Each structure stands twice: as C-alpha cells, then as structure tokens.
Amino acid sequence: QSALTQPPSVSGSPGQSVTISCTGSSSDVGYYNHVSWYQQTPGTAPKLIIFEVSNRPSGVPHRFSGSKSGNTASLTISGLQTEDEADYYCCSHTSSITWVFGAGTKLTVL
Amino acid sequence: QVQLQESGPGLVTPSQTLSLTCTVSGGSITSGSYYWSWIRQPAGKGLEWFGRIFHSGSTNYNPSLKSRVTISIDTSQNQFSLRLTSVTAADTAVYYCVRGPGSNSGEAFDLWGQGTLVSVSS
C-alpha cells in the first residue's frame, strides 16, 4: 500500500486560512468516507482532529474542517492561530481493511 | 478517563525480537467494542500502522509488515502487545499504542499513548 500524498509544507499568517490536501486513490481515499486528520506538535503524540472526512471530535475548534472530492481529501484551518503550528497527517481506511497515512505536512504560522 | 501506556525495552539488538505491551487503564479493553492498534514513527518521519486487534483476538495487519508482526491481547490484564521479529536499525522509532480504528471510534485513531522510543543497535 502506498502512502497518501500531502504537501511537505504550507504556511499562513495569523487570521488567514490554509488548506492541506491529501491525495490517494480509488482504493483508499475514494473508497470510503473514512479519512481522518491528526495534529502533532514536537515531542507529543498525534491528536485526532477530524474523523470520517468532516467530523470534529469534542473539543476541537470549529475552525478545523475537512472535506473530500474523489480521491483527494482536504483539511482547512480558518482563522489561523500561532498555536496551530504543527505537523498534520491524513489517514485513510483502504479497501484491503488496512489504514494508510500521508507523509505529513508542516504548517508554519508566519 | 481511558488512558494507554506503552512499556518494554528501549534498546533491542539487531536480528532479535522487539516486544512491547500497552496497558489500558480507566476502562475495560473489552468494553465499547473498540479495536486496538500499534503505530510507529521514526525520528523526523511519518506514521506507519502495524495492525489492529479486537478483544475477540481478531486481527488485521499492514501487509508490508505482516510477515514480522504479531499483535495479541490479554483481556484479563487489560493489555495488548506487539511483537516484531528480525529487527534492524530501520525499526528504530517511537512506538505508539492507540485505540481504534473501528466503527466506535469513527474509523479513526481516537486515543493515543504517549509513545515509547525503541532503538535497534548492537
């Protein structure tokens, strides 16, 4: 199984919006609505911020949103805050009953 | 609330077997019909899913690792374990035990242990 494709880095200024893409195939991202996103700051475990493409766990701010079109999922962060600076990973359920991650995207808040 | 804690050797000799245990506290490993997984992250790199186990013992594995991996569960101890054989330096990573994925966790990994660093070196 191949890793999902994410841009290595994105950046934005406080208050702006950024979108991180996650491209897979018809066997993973395009197969199920089982895409999730994780936020990881240095030295800590990843934290779930989006599940089933667009659902937010309790406690995750509404400025984090997810979507999907075909084989590409996206995470949008609106109203960027300095605390959003982190690595972001997408993950998808595959048709083979496995889970595959993207390589991660480093978000820099300028 | 439910918490996960990894335990095991921090140093493993090349060609030997890496064994880690995850202890689930604050709730039963059999309640809520959750799956339980292992995920690793080499320094500065991304996340890799090993596989998952249900309290019945049913498992699914990452095909790229399947030949070397065994995940088991001990419901009496509220623990699940990872066994990785024939390790090399490439297996050096932070290893996480995680709840999910499954229908009761939104098909996602919703609860993570703090992670444990395992180095493979002679």
Side-chain angles (χ1 to χ4, degrees), chain A residues 1 34 36 38 40 44-46 48 51-52 89 91 93 97-99 101 103, chain B residues 41 45-47 49 52 60-63 96 101 106-110 112-113:
Chain A
Q1 55 184 20
H34 294 166
S36 51
Y38 303 83
Q40 186 180 35
T44 69
L48 177 66
F51 66 95
E52 291 176 334
Y89 294 91
C91 180
H93 187 185
I97 317 179
T98 62
W99 276 259
F101 285 92
Chain B
Q41 184 174 37
K45 296 188 178 181
L47 302 163
W49 176 74
R52 68 174 185 173
N60 300 102
Y61 291 114
N62 182 334
Y96 295 100
E107 301 295 348
F109 305 98
D110 68 341
W112 296 65

Side-chain angles (χ1 to χ4, degrees), chain B residues 8-11 41 43 92-95 115-119:
Chain B
L11 181 65
Q41 184 174 37
T92 294
V94 174
Y95 286 73
T116 187
L117 175 62
V118 179
S119 299

Side-chain angles (χ1 to χ4, degrees), chain A:
Chain A
Q1 55 184 20
S2 301
L4 306 176
T5 300
Q6 297 181 235
S9 64
V10 297
S11 63
S13 300
Q16 289 185 333
S17 295
V18 294
T19 296
I20 300 171
S21 61
C22 172
T23 301
S25 71
S26 57
S27 297
D28 40 61
V29 175
Y31 195 84
Y32 293 113
N33 285 328
H34 294 166
V35 176
S36 51
W37 290 89
Y38 303 83
Q39 177 192 61
Q40 186 180 35
T41 52
T44 69
K47 171 189 173 185
L48 177 66
I49 57 172
I50 295 287
F51 66 95
E52 291 176 334
V53 174
S54 60
N55 294 311
R56 280 183 308 276
S58 174
V60 173
H62 287 195
R63 52 203 182 76
F64 290 90
S65 62
S67 63
K68 190 185 89 167
S69 178
N71 298 334
T72 298
S74 299
L75 171 71
T76 298
I77 309 172
S78 306
L80 267 180
Q81 299 185 4
T82 55
E83 68 212 49
D84 298 332
E85 188 161 289
D87 293 326
Y88 291 85
Y89 294 91
C90 64
C91 180
S92 178
H93 187 185
T94 79
S95 58
S96 304
I97 317 179
T98 62
W99 276 259
V100 62
F101 285 92
T105 297
K106 182 177 180 59
L107 169 62
T108 301
V109 181
L110 304 169

